[in-house]
Amino acid sequence: MSEIVTSLINGRRVAADGGHQLPVVDPASEAVTGVLREADAAEVDAAVSAARKAFDGWSNMSTDRRNDILYAIDSHLRAHGDELAELEARTTGLPIAGIRPLMDRAAENFRRFAEVASTVSGETYTQNAQFLTYTTREAKGVGALIAPWNAPLALGSMRLATCIAFGNTCVLKPSEQTPESTVRMVELMHEAGLPEGVVNIVNGRGSVTGEALTTHADIDMIGFTGGTTTGKRIMAAAGAALKPAILELGGKSAAIVAPDADLDRAIDGTLLAIYASNGQQCLGGSRILVHKSIADRFIAEFVARARKIRIGNPLDPQTEFGPLAFQGHRDHILSYIDVARREGVEVLCGGERPAGLDKGWYVEPIVALAPNNRTRVCQEEIFGPFATFLIYSDLDEAIAIANDSAFGLVSYVWTRDLSTAMACSRRIRAGTIWVNTPMMRELRAPFGGYRESGVGRDGARHSADFFTEAKTTSIPLEDTAIRRLGA
Ligand code: NAD
């Protein structure tokens, strides 16, 4: 065992002694590589106090000075991109070739939201001739931020950047499954000049550390990225305490392949949309809706390509698909093979342990063909490399299937016909529609979900609105009459 992962408060890792301990397991070898020491309620309280203490200094700092620090963080994280990518690949099982660019994206989040903070401005109202009324936007306070395990740095940095760029301070809890890389990233942020207490990390299980954080009386808002069931629980707690919450949750997104699509590009795009990041992504295109006139050819080609995906050690640059993140998650995904068969879903390939990989949470990418969209594999988020095909007859039917879901995070459409693209853009109820492209993330644009995929949006203006309070000030331009009581 090499490392004990602890919390990081006021810029320093806390002592490793005592406390509840959880194993840190390498998904590629199943070896226990470290120990996570869980933060209890007292440690969460210390982290929130540190964030509260740092709030005045950070929120009152000029935006230019704060942005200098955020730009320095961007540069320093980029300079350590290889180190962070290796740590991330080892702990999550994500192939290093796929996640190396995400390390730069994680760094860029700090630059991008610093730029947004530079443009935040208020309004003036002069309609009432005797008064000048203006608005200012102020930092909201201390954020409780929670991140999932599937892309700890890409998602954790988004949570952090949207919060601290506007002058807030925070406590972030990474997932107990993948805690190491976030602690290292925040350590690097301090090396780049982040004042102590602005970002604090607490590590531990959701039911212990997470709950102590999101229900802490001295937090001002909650930023959550994770599953829908957890999101509902957090929203209920936030409601009871009257704290605003932004929730980025699960998905069961449809990819519609029209008969006029560029089928080679559609094959590439649909494969990537479901199998990138080992299939563990909220925006996975897990339901692939293909027109009946092209279905046989398209599905045969997709299965042939899925069988050829290079599975292996996440640290090998040639690997396209690594082990799933942890044993419980691997078992959860495999359980859907039986669920599928019981409902008449045909499993076309995948689900086996790949030859030659005797250790690690490896699974061959799964492709299935469902008789209809009401099956559980089409309705429930599996959150793994499980692609399910559905065959449709006309566009109205495809859009109806896409919308027949509790979720509404993203949707993909592959077509050369502008009217098909526009119909999908207008009629599909999802937060983002990607036309002829998989997963283009424009950081300035809002990102978030309809229905059970979330509440609120990340993005330039949307994050600025959520993470600041609007304040109205009115000043009379001359001595106005004041009604005199008791005169
Ligand atoms: P999860 O909900 O199990 O856990 C997410 C985080 O919440 C973890 O840090 C966990 O410890 C914490 N948590 C759990 N219970 C808690 C509680 N009661 N109080 C406070 N914190 C608690 O999700 P996961 O399995 O880590 O991540 C996968 C899910 O995240 C999928 O559903 C996926 O779609 C979703 N996700 C959404 C987005 C998005 O942007 N919409 C991005 C990535 C992942």
Side-chain angles (χ1 to χ4, degrees):
M1 269 187 255
S2 58
E3 200 190 358
I4 300 186
V5 186
T6 63
S7 301
L8 187 148
I9 299 175
N10 272 326
R12 288 174 294 281
R13 294 188 188 222
V14 306
D17 40 280
H20 184 77
Q21 299 196 335
L22 302 157
V24 176
V25 180
D26 175 355
S29 67
E30 302 175 30
V32 176
T33 55
V35 164
L36 182 147
R37 186 184 148 285
E38 182 165 77
D40 60 12
E43 197 164 299
V44 170
D45 188 51
V48 173
S49 299
R52 177 64 60 196
K53 201 161 151 245
F55 179 71
D56 276 354
W58 185 245
S59 60
N60 287 320
M61 192 180 277
S62 78
T63 302
D64 286 346
R65 171 75 192 111
R66 217 166 40 222
N67 284 358
D68 284 345
I69 296 170
L70 295 169
Y71 293 149
I73 288 172
D74 172 35
S75 305
H76 198 56
L77 293 183
R78 277 175 202 274
H80 285 79
D82 290 341
E83 175 198 342
L84 289 172
E86 193 188 317
L87 196 52
E88 188 89 321
R90 269 202 287 116
T91 53
T92 60
L94 297 178
I96 195 139
I99 59 163
R100 181 61 187 85
L102 291 185
M103 300 302 103
D104 290 343
R105 245 277 304 283
E108 186 184 342
N109 280 333
F110 295 97
R111 173 172 298 275
R112 284 272 170 257
F113 285 97
E115 286 166 0
V116 176
S118 268
T119 64
V120 168
S121 59
E123 301 142 18
T124 55
Y125 297 88
T126 54
Q127 289 86 344
N128 190 324
Q130 291 176 310
F131 290 87
L132 174 66
T133 295
Y134 64 88
T135 66
T136 44
R137 301 220 62 119
E138 295 179 354
K140 215 171 211 159
V142 174
L145 310 178
I146 308 273
W149 49 262
N150 61 310
L153 293 188
L155 298 168
S157 62
M158 176 63 104
R159 280 276 147 267
L160 289 176
T162 53
C163 180
I164 66 172
F166 303 106
N168 303 291
T169 59
C170 64
V171 179
L172 168 70
K173 193 197 87 62
S175 169
E176 61 275 27
Q177 303 294 346
T178 54
E180 297 108 305
S181 56
T182 308
V183 177
R184 182 65 187 134
M185 177 176 76
V186 173
E187 232 168 28
L188 290 168
M189 290 170 68
H190 285 89
E191 284 176 21
L194 185 72
E196 63 180 47
V198 173
V199 173
N200 306 277
I201 303 283
V202 288
N203 270 308
R205 287 166 294 178
S207 55
V208 179
T209 314
E211 212 148 313
L213 176 59
T214 51
T215 59
H216 195 288
D218 202 26
I219 57 156
D220 297 293
M221 66 275 189
I222 300 172
F224 174 77
T225 307
T228 295
T229 306
T230 315
K232 287 179 181 175
R233 197 181 167 106
I234 286 178
M235 187 83 178
L242 225 54
K243 313 272 186 195
I246 179 171
L247 307 171
E248 299 286 1
L249 308 178
K252 191 74 200 179
S253 297
I256 297 177
V257 184
D260 56 67
D262 177 334
L263 294 185
D264 290 339
R265 286 179 60 80
I267 286 277
D268 290 344
T270 49
L271 279 161
L272 199 65
I274 181 65
Y275 297 131
S277 301
N278 301 344
Q280 302 163 154
Q281 42 183 355
C282 56
L283 37 72
S286 50
R287 293 182 295 152
I288 307 175
L289 282 45
V290 58
H291 188 265
K292 63 182 180 187
S293 64
I294 53 167
D296 288 351
R297 182 183 143 203
F298 193 90
I299 295 172
E301 172 72 13
F302 187 98
V303 168
R305 290 275 297 277
R307 284 187 201 276
K308 286 198 287 189
I309 288 174
R310 285 192 298 277
I311 307 172
N313 190 302
L315 295 174
D316 179 344
Q318 299 305 314
T319 293
E320 295 177 322
F321 189 89
L324 299 175
F326 53 98
Q327 184 178 13
H329 189 57
R330 196 264 321 251
D331 296 347
H332 160 82
I333 289 164
L334 291 180
S335 74
Y336 274 92
I337 291 182
D338 282 343
V339 169
R341 291 197 168 120
R342 279 202 299 275
E343 291 186 308
V345 174
E346 194 182 345
V347 177
L348 304 174
C349 73
E352 304 295 330
R353 178 177 278 281
L357 293 168
D358 299 334
K359 283 277 181 196
W361 315 124
Y362 290 100
V363 171
E364 289 172 344
I366 299 160
V367 186
L369 174 62
N372 66 67
N373 189 52
R374 297 312 300 169
T375 49
R376 280 181 61 194
V377 293
C378 291
Q379 291 295 321
E380 296 174 15
E381 184 187 41
I382 302 173
F383 204 59
F386 200 118
T388 303
F389 276 94
L390 288 155
I391 297 174
Y392 70 88
S393 300
D394 59 36
L395 188 60
D396 283 346
E397 186 191 3
I399 292 174
I401 293 171
N403 285 336
D404 177 20
S405 172
F407 299 102
L409 191 58
V410 305
S411 192
Y412 306 80
V413 52
W414 296 90
T415 180
R416 288 190 177 106
D417 184 275
L418 185 60
S419 61
T420 299
M422 295 311 289
C424 290
S425 164
R426 196 164 46 83
R427 291 168 55 195
I428 293 177
R429 296 187 54 76
T432 298
I433 311 288
W434 280 307
V435 179
N436 293 333
T437 179
M439 304 176 289
M440 186 282 164
R441 183 76 189 271
E442 168 54 81
L443 287 177
R444 299 164 193 87
F447 182 85
Y450 283 41
R451 294 183 293 226
E452 299 214 346
S453 288
V455 176
R457 297 288 184 270
D458 286 324
R461 182 169 61 75
H462 294 77
S463 297
D465 282 352
F466 180 79
F467 282 104
T468 60
E469 294 280 11
K471 178 181 279 178
T472 298
T473 303
S474 290
I475 305 178
L477 296 171
E478 57 201 45
D479 282 351
T480 52
I482 298 177
R483 197 157 61 88
R484 301 183 69 212
L485 301 180

